[in-house]
Amino acid sequence: MGKTLGPTGEFFKRRDEWRKHPMLGNQLRHATPGLGIALVAFGIYLIGEQVYNRVYAPSSSHHHQQQSSSISH
């Protein structure tokens, strides 16, 4: 079946058992169940805001004309 570990292998097997303890495995994911979805939604919002600002932002020449006309009055 399997290869026997011998005394040294048994020693290291027992020393590494703590790594498989349920309290240590993947706790951050269970502690924050909606964080992944929230980060994706926030990223989509940021991208959408950038696209919106580029599409609907007033041109710099239009903005400059408004400033110069308000200064002359």
Side-chain angles (χ1 to χ4, degrees):
M1 209 191 280
K3 191 169 116 178
T4 59
L5 296 174
T8 307
E10 285 294 323
F11 173 77
F12 285 111
K13 181 179 176 185
R14 283 180 287 155
R15 300 280 285 189
D16 286 340
E17 284 180 4
W18 67 271
R19 298 176 193 261
K20 297 176 185 164
H21 194 276
M23 290 296 288
L24 296 175
N26 210 0
Q27 281 298 318
L28 184 60
R29 184 173 180 187
H30 294 296
T32 57
L35 183 63
I37 294 170
L39 289 174
V40 169
F42 186 64
I44 291 171
Y45 165 76
L46 290 177
I47 292 169
E49 185 179 25
Q50 290 296 316
V51 169
Y52 177 83
N53 286 340
R54 289 184 188 203
V55 170
Y56 292 109
S59 64
S60 60
S61 62
H62 179 71
H63 185 67
H64 182 68
Q65 289 173 354
Q66 284 181 343
Q67 282 182 348
S68 63
S69 63
S70 65
I71 293 172
S72 64
H73 292 333

